[in-house]
Amino acid sequence: MDPATSITLRQLVMALGDSMLEVQAAPAGLDVEIRGVALLDPEDPPTAQPGDLVLAIGSRGRAALPALRAAGRDGATAVVVKLGAPGQATAGQATALSETAAEAGIALLSLRSDARWEQVSALARTALDEAPPDDPGASAEEGDLFSLAQTTAILTSGIVSIEDAANRVLAYSRTTDSDEADDLRRRSILGWQGPEGYLAKLREWGVFQHLHSSDEVIAIDSHPELGIRRRLAVAIRSGDRQLGTIWVQESSTPLSERSRQALLGAARVAALHLVRRRRELSDDVTLVRTLLAGLMDGSTGPQPLATHLGFDAARPAAVLGFSYGTTEAYEAGDAIGAPELAHTEVTNLVSVHIAARHRSALVTQVDSRIYVLLPQLPRSIDTDTLRGWAQEITDAARRHLGLPLRGSVGCLVPGLGAVPESRREADRILEAMVSAGVSAAVAALPDIQAEVLVSEILTLLSAHPEIRDPRLTALVEHDSRHQGRLAETLLTYLNSFGDVRAAAAQLHVHPNTLRYRLRRAEELTGLDLSRPDQRLLAMLQLRLPPAG
């Protein structure tokens, strides 16, 4: 077991199940860390290490009090005891032990009387062994179930909880007003499991049967007499197996029109989280990320990813690209906080939306850009459809997160082998949207082909000073030294097709002032604006950003 690995007490109780362990006292809460498992035999001196889960073997009830005090003194996290033999009264024992645990500042768990200690030890060690390492550099693109629940709540305007197949709550969204959560929601969150009385009603209404047999979203009407508001639910599946359920309760605000679509996408993203949690993919997350990155940049062929995920490499594919609309908005985190949070929230939003549209989609993040690989697309699909998918995502980002997200649609390619071409086109479009100040939130190459090509010509001019006209360079430097506006005036005049009045109006000057500036520019530089080639070069070169 890696000594750096740890889990919280809450995770341990969830892993072992409340049918085996019951929390009797947790003076420091359930999010304290467990870093190891210690077996304490009554014949041995009561010792423990900081962070240990101490199994008080052979000390039932009050006989475990010395072990509890010693574990607290040694800095252990929790002690597991059996309260008494089957059939014996245990209420008094539990009270005495809980009071001692509170005084010692240590958590107390009671073990079912017929459970075997070696079983508890093995399960606890397995939970620790399988805990993900504490890696602050891990990619935010994967997010976590709580982050996914919050994103789903934003997209649906509801209150979200995610449960496993045993109806145990795994994650839930934050609420700003506790009055918006109904009784079922409150009791489920407090108990980390749906109350049995409510679960029985859901079974009676056929909700669980529907979830077990269908991928479709089901609606449950409100029942004020039971303290239940209207909610939607969808099964989380891996193949034919149900891994859990996502529930969305309606708050004081009606659920959004696209709640069902958002739920379908969230269920597909949640399935990846739950499969990973069960370790059925082991190191698969890293492998897929590596293969996807290699495919995108052309360093790896299509076959490894196609074989690993069962994709048909010969079917059409495309790449969608997304970037924040402005550097300032990204650096500020805009309406949702810090940049790191913005990355996570936006990646989750993209993942949920695109999963609802295309089950095989893969989402990855490179620096500040998010890419979506759309493999094995229908042969009948067209760019307009993909543009619509990207538009839904940018609209949702602006509406729910307050972020001006830009989206680009890379070209449709005949198979995975040509994915780098689609990714390059998506990048070209995003770069031109920024440099040319394109107002549209989403674009494909046919929409802004001229802007893309001009942007790339300007990049070439910027990188090669030897192909610039030194007279124009001198004009820009003259303006810089004298706080002049000759270069700006010339470019505005050229952009206005030589219409003096239109250019003057745009610059808020008299037409005669504009004519004077043009003559002055020609005198200083020797330019001849009657020559088309000089006008063309000036239009391009004067669009270069200022040096420095």
Side-chain angles (χ1 to χ4, degrees):
M1 180 172 61
D2 183 349
T5 298
S6 67
I7 59 174
T8 65
L9 179 59
R10 186 190 308 281
Q11 290 170 323
L12 177 79
V13 172
M14 290 171 62
L16 271 63
D18 52 15
S19 60
M20 177 176 289
L21 290 177
E22 184 176 350
V23 179
Q24 298 292 338
L30 295 178
D31 293 318
V32 290
E33 282 192 347
I34 294 173
R35 296 192 289 272
V37 179
L39 305 180
L40 182 60
D41 190 279
E43 303 297 325
D44 297 330
T47 59
Q49 297 295 320
D52 272 353
L53 173 74
V54 177
L55 308 183
I57 298 172
S59 300
R60 286 183 181 268
R62 287 185 173 85
L65 289 173
L68 191 57
R69 296 189 185 98
R73 183 183 63 243
D74 293 338
T77 296
V79 174
V80 182
V81 302
K82 288 188 177 182
L83 294 181
Q88 292 183 352
T90 58
Q93 298 175 20
T95 299
L97 287 163
S98 296
E99 291 174 352
T100 302
E103 293 171 2
I106 192 170
L108 172 66
L109 308 177
S110 61
L111 179 64
R112 194 180 63 203
S113 60
D114 57 348
R116 298 170 59 184
W117 284 108
E118 58 266 32
Q119 180 187 19
V120 178
S121 176
L123 289 172
R125 292 179 191 277
T126 298
L128 274 166
D129 287 340
E130 294 185 347
D134 183 14
D135 180 8
S139 173
E141 69 185 275
E142 294 175 43
D144 55 36
L145 285 177
F146 280 90
S147 178
L148 176 62
Q150 189 63 27
T151 298
T152 309
I154 291 171
L155 295 177
T156 60
S157 302
I159 304 174
V160 175
S161 61
I162 301 175
E163 298 180 358
D164 66 11
N167 301 116
R168 292 175 296 194
V169 177
L170 302 176
Y172 50 86
S173 62
R174 302 182 295 274
T175 55
T176 56
D177 184 352
S178 60
D179 291 337
E180 292 189 346
D182 64 14
D183 189 44
L184 174 55
R185 158 82 177 193
R186 283 191 293 271
R187 292 181 61 181
S188 296
I189 298 304
L190 291 174
W192 285 85
Q193 186 170 23
E196 182 53 41
Y198 288 102
L199 298 180
K201 281 293 183 184
L202 294 175
R203 283 192 287 269
E204 178 185 326
W205 298 332
V207 173
F208 290 126
Q209 181 179 358
H210 172 93
L211 293 171
H212 183 70
S213 60
S214 173
D215 292 335
E216 298 301 317
V217 175
I218 185 174
I220 299 99
D221 292 334
S222 63
H223 290 270
E225 73 282 4
L226 299 175
I228 299 178
R229 292 189 181 182
R230 178 175 178 263
R231 53 191 7 93
L232 302 177
V234 67
I236 304 169
R237 294 188 177 283
S238 176
D240 294 332
R241 182 170 42 161
Q242 183 181 353
L243 303 178
T245 309
I246 302 181
W247 302 86
V248 180
Q249 178 219 302
E250 191 169 67
S251 62
S252 56
T253 303
L255 294 176
S256 67
E257 294 180 0
R258 297 185 176 178
S259 292
R260 290 177 179 267
Q261 179 183 329
L263 263 185
L264 287 174
R268 292 169 184 173
V269 176
L272 298 177
H273 286 284
L274 295 186
V275 169
R276 292 168 190 167
R277 177 179 290 222
R278 291 176 176 221
R279 288 300 188 268
E280 292 176 7
L281 292 183
S282 186
D283 295 328
D284 188 69
V285 177
T286 301
L287 176 59
V288 170
R289 188 187 304 126
T290 300
L291 294 177
L292 178 57
L295 176 62
M296 287 278 202
D297 64 23
S299 62
T300 304
Q303 208 53 52
L305 184 68
T307 300
H308 184 67
L309 296 179
F311 290 163
D312 183 350
R315 285 179 57 183
V319 173
L320 306 181
F322 296 93
S323 67
Y324 296 96
T326 63
T327 301
E328 292 77 10
Y330 161 67
E331 290 176 347
D334 212 335
I336 60 173
E340 294 81 4
L341 179 57
H343 277 319
T344 302
E345 294 281 6
V346 174
T347 302
N348 278 337
L349 183 145
V350 172
S351 299
V352 168
H353 268 274
I354 204 64
R357 289 297 189 185
H358 190 60
R359 185 182 294 272
S360 301
L362 297 175
V363 179
T364 191
Q365 184 174 308
V366 180
D367 298 326
S368 61
R369 287 185 181 172
I370 298 168
Y371 296 97
V372 177
L373 171 63
L374 299 169
Q376 46 190 19
L377 289 166
R379 299 191 185 279
S380 59
I381 203 163
D382 56 25
T383 299
D384 287 342
T385 300
L386 301 185
R387 188 190 288 108
W389 293 357
Q391 188 70 54
E392 287 178 2
I393 290 170
T394 58
D395 287 348
R398 185 175 293 277
R399 182 169 59 250
H400 298 297
L401 303 181
L403 282 178
L405 200 64
R406 283 192 177 95
S408 64
V409 181
C411 56
L412 277 161
V413 292
L416 288 182
V419 160
E421 177 187 345
S422 185
R423 186 261 176 100
R424 283 193 296 271
E425 184 166 298
D427 281 336
R428 293 173 66 198
I429 295 165
L430 288 175
E431 287 158 10
M433 291 175 80
V434 174
S435 62
V438 175
S439 59
V442 174
L445 187 58
D447 303 325
I448 59 168
Q449 185 136 25
E451 290 86 345
V452 169
L453 295 175
V454 168
S455 174
E456 291 171 349
I457 292 172
L458 293 178
T459 299
L460 185 66
L461 279 174
S462 181
H464 294 277
E466 69 275 11
I467 62 175
R468 301 181 208 164
D469 188 329
R471 296 173 297 180
L472 295 168
T473 302
L475 182 64
V476 172
E477 291 172 350
H478 177 275
D479 278 350
S480 179
R481 288 193 305 270
H482 299 89
Q483 291 79 48
R485 300 181 64 187
L486 299 181
E488 178 192 11
T489 299
L490 176 54
L491 181 59
T492 303
Y493 167 74
L494 294 172
N495 287 341
S496 301
F497 299 100
D499 186 328
V500 171
R501 293 190 178 279
Q506 189 173 335
L507 292 170
H508 305 292
V509 298
H510 193 278
N512 287 339
T513 301
L514 187 133
R515 292 187 182 96
Y516 167 77
R517 290 180 182 177
L518 293 177
R519 287 195 302 272
R520 181 66 176 150
E522 286 184 302
E523 291 169 359
L524 285 171
T525 62
L527 288 170
D528 182 357
L529 296 181
S530 67
R531 294 177 59 179
D533 54 348
Q534 293 194 23
R535 293 199 304 271
L536 174 61
L537 185 57
M539 285 188 71
L540 288 171
Q541 190 170 322
L542 292 179
R543 292 190 183 195
L544 290 175

